[in-house]
Every structure is written in C-alpha cells, then in structure tokens.
Amino acid sequence: MTVSHHHKRVFPELKTDISPLTLCVLTAGRADEYYALIDRNREHLTRHGDYRTLAASDYKTAHAELLNDPSPSLRCGVLLHGTLIGRVDLVAVHPPKYGFGYWLDHEATGHGYATAACRALIEYGAAALGATDVFAGVTHGNGKSSAVLTRLGFEVAEVFETYTRYHRALAAPPRAHPA
C-alpha cells in the first residue's frame, strides 16, 4: 500500500490491492462526477434505506457537502481507472475510535471493489491516524454490506431495530520499550 501524506494527514491517492482501484480525497472538484454517480444510483442507495438523504440530494446539496472540510474525518472517492465509482468514509467519532461508511455504483458491486477500498482506508486509518477501533452500521436486509464487513474482520457488536452495528478492533501500533 502506497500512501502520500500532506500537512492535513490526507492523501492525494491511496492504492488498493486491486491495481486499477484507488482512493482519493473527495472534494468539490469532483462535484459533477459525484452528483452523476448519486443520480444514477438513487434506487440502489435506498434499496435498504441506508442512504435516503443522500439519494434525495440535488446538485446544489451534493456540491455543498463536498465544499465542507470533513477533517479530521476522511471522505474518499473510490476510483476505478480514474473514474468515480463510489465513496468510503472514515468518520472521527471519538478518535482513536472511528465510524465507517461506504457505497458503490450498482454496476461496480460484486467485483471485490468495496472490500479492497474499505481495507485500504482502514489500514490507512490504523497506520496514519492511530485508529484502534472502527464501527459500521448496516441496515437489516443489506446482506452484501454485511458480507464486506465480515470479510474485513468485523464482528456484530449490537443489533438494533433497523440496523446492526459492527465493530473491528485494530492492532495497536507497536510501542517503543526502554532498553
């Protein structure tokens, strides 16, 4: 995994274990592409109730979201051959504990892209941000998202009326011990 850092501890590009698949910081510079992605996935985003607010976004709302700096959280675009196919976020809820969310274009599902993109961002969060725990919620009935989390080593932490919360403890960075 190659990571490029700059002063805000955010990367311009993060490679995954699938060579044409990368992550980039999702900013207003990609607003047109991001809105087109939302627009063609409205039904997909609401199939399980997960992203109703996002699916209801108009261009102005989607663009405004990308203008806001999410720091210290990370908002990433998932790129396949340079084309935006999804989004993955690492949300600084209570660092070193983070929330996690992701979605892909309906045509990009079933190829391992979500697993690879999520793995890359989680590894980055552990290595660069010192994340020790990651939590994600999945609406009941969204078996594909649950399967991604299971492949990534998440375990069910709690079951609520409409969704299940998953948790993954990350390996703590090695500490220097006095000689």
Side-chain angles (χ1 to χ4, degrees), residues 48-75:
H48 303 288
D50 302 76
Y51 290 100
R52 291 184 194 277
T53 302
L54 178 64
S57 296
D58 59 13
Y59 179 83
K60 184 177 177 180
T61 303
H63 183 257
E65 177 188 9
L66 299 183
L67 287 172
N68 293 325
D69 181 359
S71 186
S73 298
L74 299 175
R75 178 181 57 223

mmCIF file of all heavy atoms in Angstrom, residues 48-75:
data_model
loop_
_atom_site.group_PDB
_atom_site.id
_atom_site.type_symbol
_atom_site.label_atom_id
_atom_site.label_comp_id
_atom_site.label_asym_id
_atom_site.label_seq_id
_atom_site.Cartn_x
_atom_site.Cartn_y
_atom_site.Cartn_z
ATOM 1 N N HIS A 48 -32.214 -0.471 0.742
ATOM 2 C CA HIS A 48 -32.290 -0.954 2.117
ATOM 3 C C HIS A 48 -32.491 0.186 3.117
ATOM 4 O O HIS A 48 -32.420 -0.038 4.316
ATOM 5 C CB HIS A 48 -31.020 -1.730 2.470
ATOM 6 C CG HIS A 48 -30.778 -2.873 1.549
ATOM 7 N ND1 HIS A 48 -31.544 -4.018 1.573
ATOM 8 C CD2 HIS A 48 -29.892 -3.043 0.542
ATOM 9 C CE1 HIS A 48 -31.124 -4.845 0.630
ATOM 10 N NE2 HIS A 48 -30.132 -4.277 -0.004
ATOM 11 N N GLY A 49 -32.709 1.394 2.605
ATOM 12 C CA GLY A 49 -32.946 2.524 3.484
ATOM 13 C C GLY A 49 -31.686 3.209 3.973
ATOM 14 O O GLY A 49 -31.749 4.190 4.693
ATOM 15 N N ASP A 50 -30.530 2.718 3.559
ATOM 16 C CA ASP A 50 -29.258 3.206 4.069
ATOM 17 C C ASP A 50 -28.989 4.684 3.765
ATOM 18 O O ASP A 50 -28.561 5.426 4.627
ATOM 19 C CB ASP A 50 -28.090 2.402 3.478
ATOM 20 C CG ASP A 50 -28.205 0.927 3.765
ATOM 21 O OD1 ASP A 50 -29.021 0.277 3.096
ATOM 22 O OD2 ASP A 50 -27.487 0.446 4.650
ATOM 23 N N TYR A 51 -29.209 5.095 2.550
ATOM 24 C CA TYR A 51 -28.757 6.414 2.099
ATOM 25 C C TYR A 51 -29.893 7.253 1.521
ATOM 26 O O TYR A 51 -29.742 7.896 0.489
ATOM 27 C CB TYR A 51 -27.644 6.243 1.060
ATOM 28 C CG TYR A 51 -26.361 5.722 1.646
ATOM 29 C CD1 TYR A 51 -26.011 4.379 1.552
ATOM 30 C CD2 TYR A 51 -25.496 6.575 2.313
ATOM 31 C CE1 TYR A 51 -24.823 3.904 2.103
ATOM 32 C CE2 TYR A 51 -24.305 6.108 2.865
ATOM 33 C CZ TYR A 51 -23.990 4.780 2.753
ATOM 34 O OH TYR A 51 -22.811 4.318 3.291
ATOM 35 N N ARG A 52 -31.021 7.295 2.214
ATOM 36 C CA ARG A 52 -32.177 8.057 1.715
ATOM 37 C C ARG A 52 -31.870 9.544 1.568
ATOM 38 O O ARG A 52 -32.247 10.163 0.587
ATOM 39 C CB ARG A 52 -33.375 7.873 2.633
ATOM 40 C CG ARG A 52 -33.955 6.486 2.586
ATOM 41 C CD ARG A 52 -35.221 6.389 3.454
ATOM 42 N NE ARG A 52 -35.602 5.011 3.669
ATOM 43 C CZ ARG A 52 -36.305 4.296 2.804
ATOM 44 N NH1 ARG A 52 -36.685 4.826 1.672
ATOM 45 N NH2 ARG A 52 -36.613 3.044 3.080
ATOM 46 N N THR A 53 -31.183 10.128 2.536
ATOM 47 C CA THR A 53 -30.870 11.559 2.477
ATOM 48 C C THR A 53 -29.946 11.845 1.303
ATOM 49 O O THR A 53 -30.169 12.799 0.555
ATOM 50 C CB THR A 53 -30.229 12.029 3.798
ATOM 51 O OG1 THR A 53 -31.136 11.755 4.862
ATOM 52 C CG2 THR A 53 -29.914 13.514 3.759
ATOM 53 N N LEU A 54 -28.924 11.030 1.125
ATOM 54 C CA LEU A 54 -28.004 11.219 0.008
ATOM 55 C C LEU A 54 -28.745 11.071 -1.324
ATOM 56 O O LEU A 54 -28.575 11.888 -2.232
ATOM 57 C CB LEU A 54 -26.851 10.214 0.080
ATOM 58 C CG LEU A 54 -25.844 10.276 -1.057
ATOM 59 C CD1 LEU A 54 -25.109 11.617 -1.067
ATOM 60 C CD2 LEU A 54 -24.849 9.133 -0.946
ATOM 61 N N ALA A 55 -29.579 10.048 -1.440
ATOM 62 C CA ALA A 55 -30.309 9.810 -2.687
ATOM 63 C C ALA A 55 -31.260 10.945 -3.015
ATOM 64 O O ALA A 55 -31.557 11.190 -4.186
ATOM 65 C CB ALA A 55 -31.055 8.484 -2.607
ATOM 66 N N ALA A 56 -31.719 11.663 -2.002
ATOM 67 C CA ALA A 56 -32.630 12.785 -2.227
ATOM 68 C C ALA A 56 -31.891 14.079 -2.574
ATOM 69 O O ALA A 56 -32.517 15.093 -2.877
ATOM 70 C CB ALA A 56 -33.490 13.004 -0.981
ATOM 71 N N SER A 57 -30.570 14.043 -2.559
ATOM 72 C CA SER A 57 -29.770 15.249 -2.813
ATOM 73 C C SER A 57 -29.960 15.776 -4.225
ATOM 74 O O SER A 57 -30.006 15.015 -5.185
ATOM 75 C CB SER A 57 -28.275 14.952 -2.633
ATOM 76 O OG SER A 57 -27.979 14.597 -1.332
ATOM 77 N N ASP A 58 -30.016 17.103 -4.321
ATOM 78 C CA ASP A 58 -29.936 17.735 -5.625
ATOM 79 C C ASP A 58 -28.477 18.152 -5.835
ATOM 80 O O ASP A 58 -27.636 17.964 -4.945
ATOM 81 C CB ASP A 58 -30.888 18.923 -5.725
ATOM 82 C CG ASP A 58 -30.642 20.005 -4.688
ATOM 83 O OD1 ASP A 58 -29.585 19.997 -4.007
ATOM 84 O OD2 ASP A 58 -31.511 20.877 -4.543
ATOM 85 N N TYR A 59 -28.179 18.698 -6.991
ATOM 86 C CA TYR A 59 -26.790 19.051 -7.288
ATOM 87 C C TYR A 59 -26.230 20.037 -6.274
ATOM 88 O O TYR A 59 -25.111 19.879 -5.781
ATOM 89 C CB TYR A 59 -26.653 19.626 -8.700
ATOM 90 C CG TYR A 59 -25.220 20.023 -8.995
ATOM 91 C CD1 TYR A 59 -24.301 19.074 -9.420
ATOM 92 C CD2 TYR A 59 -24.782 21.332 -8.795
ATOM 93 C CE1 TYR A 59 -22.987 19.409 -9.654
ATOM 94 C CE2 TYR A 59 -23.457 21.676 -9.028
ATOM 95 C CZ TYR A 59 -22.571 20.719 -9.466
ATOM 96 O OH TYR A 59 -21.257 21.054 -9.685
ATOM 97 N N LYS A 60 -27.006 21.044 -5.934
ATOM 98 C CA LYS A 60 -26.533 22.086 -5.020
ATOM 99 C C LYS A 60 -26.171 21.483 -3.653
ATOM 100 O O LYS A 60 -25.141 21.820 -3.072
ATOM 101 C CB LYS A 60 -27.607 23.163 -4.863
ATOM 102 C CG LYS A 60 -27.205 24.329 -4.016
ATOM 103 C CD LYS A 60 -28.309 25.372 -3.971
ATOM 104 C CE LYS A 60 -27.933 26.523 -3.059
ATOM 105 N NZ LYS A 60 -28.981 27.533 -2.992
ATOM 106 N N THR A 61 -26.997 20.588 -3.147
ATOM 107 C CA THR A 61 -26.742 19.944 -1.854
ATOM 108 C C THR A 61 -25.496 19.060 -1.918
ATOM 109 O O THR A 61 -24.657 19.092 -1.014
ATOM 110 C CB THR A 61 -27.963 19.104 -1.426
ATOM 111 O OG1 THR A 61 -29.117 19.954 -1.392
ATOM 112 C CG2 THR A 61 -27.754 18.463 -0.077
ATOM 113 N N ALA A 62 -25.391 18.264 -2.979
ATOM 114 C CA ALA A 62 -24.226 17.377 -3.132
ATOM 115 C C ALA A 62 -22.942 18.200 -3.245
ATOM 116 O O ALA A 62 -21.925 17.867 -2.631
ATOM 117 C CB ALA A 62 -24.398 16.475 -4.351
ATOM 118 N N HIS A 63 -22.979 19.270 -4.009
ATOM 119 C CA HIS A 63 -21.812 20.133 -4.171
ATOM 120 C C HIS A 63 -21.434 20.793 -2.845
ATOM 121 O O HIS A 63 -20.259 20.840 -2.474
ATOM 122 C CB HIS A 63 -22.087 21.179 -5.249
ATOM 123 C CG HIS A 63 -20.914 22.051 -5.536
ATOM 124 N ND1 HIS A 63 -20.830 23.338 -5.047
ATOM 125 C CD2 HIS A 63 -19.778 21.828 -6.236
ATOM 126 C CE1 HIS A 63 -19.684 23.877 -5.442
ATOM 127 N NE2 HIS A 63 -19.022 22.986 -6.162
ATOM 128 N N ALA A 64 -22.431 21.300 -2.119
ATOM 129 C CA ALA A 64 -22.175 21.961 -0.835
ATOM 130 C C ALA A 64 -21.533 20.997 0.157
ATOM 131 O O ALA A 64 -20.648 21.388 0.925
ATOM 132 C CB ALA A 64 -23.470 22.522 -0.266
ATOM 133 N N GLU A 65 -21.957 19.733 0.148
ATOM 134 C CA GLU A 65 -21.359 18.741 1.042
ATOM 135 C C GLU A 65 -19.863 18.612 0.770
ATOM 136 O O GLU A 65 -19.058 18.527 1.696
ATOM 137 C CB GLU A 65 -22.028 17.380 0.863
ATOM 138 C CG GLU A 65 -21.397 16.300 1.711
ATOM 139 C CD GLU A 65 -21.902 14.903 1.408
ATOM 140 O OE1 GLU A 65 -22.637 14.720 0.409
ATOM 141 O OE2 GLU A 65 -21.547 14.002 2.167
ATOM 142 N N LEU A 66 -19.488 18.620 -0.496
ATOM 143 C CA LEU A 66 -18.079 18.462 -0.859
ATOM 144 C C LEU A 66 -17.252 19.710 -0.590
ATOM 145 O O LEU A 66 -16.028 19.636 -0.528
ATOM 146 C CB LEU A 66 -17.947 18.040 -2.323
ATOM 147 C CG LEU A 66 -18.607 16.708 -2.683
ATOM 148 C CD1 LEU A 66 -18.337 16.362 -4.140
ATOM 149 C CD2 LEU A 66 -18.164 15.585 -1.768
ATOM 150 N N LEU A 67 -17.897 20.851 -0.411
ATOM 151 C CA LEU A 67 -17.181 22.079 -0.065
ATOM 152 C C LEU A 67 -16.750 22.087 1.396
ATOM 153 O O LEU A 67 -15.796 22.755 1.758
ATOM 154 C CB LEU A 67 -18.050 23.308 -0.330
ATOM 155 C CG LEU A 67 -18.247 23.682 -1.792
ATOM 156 C CD1 LEU A 67 -19.289 24.791 -1.915
ATOM 157 C CD2 LEU A 67 -16.936 24.090 -2.431
ATOM 158 N N ASN A 68 -17.472 21.355 2.241
ATOM 159 C CA ASN A 68 -17.158 21.312 3.669
ATOM 160 C C ASN A 68 -15.983 20.378 3.923
ATOM 161 O O ASN A 68 -15.992 19.227 3.487
ATOM 162 C CB ASN A 68 -18.368 20.839 4.481
ATOM 163 C CG ASN A 68 -19.501 21.827 4.446
ATOM 164 O OD1 ASN A 68 -19.270 23.023 4.415
ATOM 165 N ND2 ASN A 68 -20.719 21.332 4.435
ATOM 166 N N ASP A 69 -14.989 20.880 4.641
ATOM 167 C CA ASP A 69 -13.829 20.071 5.011
ATOM 168 C C ASP A 69 -14.251 19.120 6.125
ATOM 169 O O ASP A 69 -14.655 19.568 7.197
ATOM 170 C CB ASP A 69 -12.699 20.983 5.489
ATOM 171 C CG ASP A 69 -11.443 20.238 5.878
ATOM 172 O OD1 ASP A 69 -11.418 18.993 5.803
ATOM 173 O OD2 ASP A 69 -10.469 20.904 6.273
ATOM 174 N N PRO A 70 -14.157 17.802 5.902
ATOM 175 C CA PRO A 70 -14.602 16.854 6.919
ATOM 176 C C PRO A 70 -13.576 16.602 8.030
ATOM 177 O O PRO A 70 -13.834 15.854 8.950
ATOM 178 C CB PRO A 70 -14.821 15.578 6.118
ATOM 179 C CG PRO A 70 -13.775 15.657 5.049
ATOM 180 C CD PRO A 70 -13.709 17.135 4.692
ATOM 181 N N SER A 71 -12.402 17.234 7.932
ATOM 182 C CA SER A 71 -11.307 16.978 8.863
ATOM 183 C C SER A 71 -11.769 17.059 10.307
ATOM 184 O O SER A 71 -12.554 17.947 10.641
ATOM 185 C CB SER A 71 -10.196 17.994 8.621
ATOM 186 O OG SER A 71 -9.075 17.688 9.405
ATOM 187 N N PRO A 72 -11.390 16.129 11.163
ATOM 188 C CA PRO A 72 -10.366 15.108 10.990
ATOM 189 C C PRO A 72 -10.877 13.813 10.362
ATOM 190 O O PRO A 72 -10.151 12.838 10.275
ATOM 191 C CB PRO A 72 -9.877 14.857 12.414
ATOM 192 C CG PRO A 72 -11.089 15.048 13.240
ATOM 193 C CD PRO A 72 -11.853 16.170 12.554
ATOM 194 N N SER A 73 -12.131 13.787 9.932
ATOM 195 C CA SER A 73 -12.651 12.622 9.230
ATOM 196 C C SER A 73 -12.101 12.608 7.807
ATOM 197 O O SER A 73 -11.615 13.625 7.314
ATOM 198 C CB SER A 73 -14.177 12.663 9.187
ATOM 199 O OG SER A 73 -14.710 12.625 10.497
ATOM 200 N N LEU A 74 -12.198 11.453 7.153
ATOM 201 C CA LEU A 74 -11.743 11.317 5.772
ATOM 202 C C LEU A 74 -12.923 10.954 4.882
ATOM 203 O O LEU A 74 -13.656 10.009 5.159
ATOM 204 C CB LEU A 74 -10.668 10.233 5.663
ATOM 205 C CG LEU A 74 -9.403 10.472 6.466
ATOM 206 C CD1 LEU A 74 -8.480 9.257 6.353
ATOM 207 C CD2 LEU A 74 -8.694 11.715 5.980
ATOM 208 N N ARG A 75 -13.110 11.715 3.811
ATOM 209 C CA ARG A 75 -14.160 11.473 2.827
ATOM 210 C C ARG A 75 -13.448 11.135 1.524
ATOM 211 O O ARG A 75 -12.768 11.985 0.948
ATOM 212 C CB ARG A 75 -15.026 12.727 2.670
ATOM 213 C CG ARG A 75 -16.107 12.598 1.632
ATOM 214 C CD ARG A 75 -16.917 13.884 1.503
ATOM 215 N NE ARG A 75 -16.066 15.012 1.176
ATOM 216 C CZ ARG A 75 -16.173 16.219 1.744
ATOM 217 N NH1 ARG A 75 -17.076 16.461 2.668
ATOM 218 N NH2 ARG A 75 -15.368 17.201 1.391
#
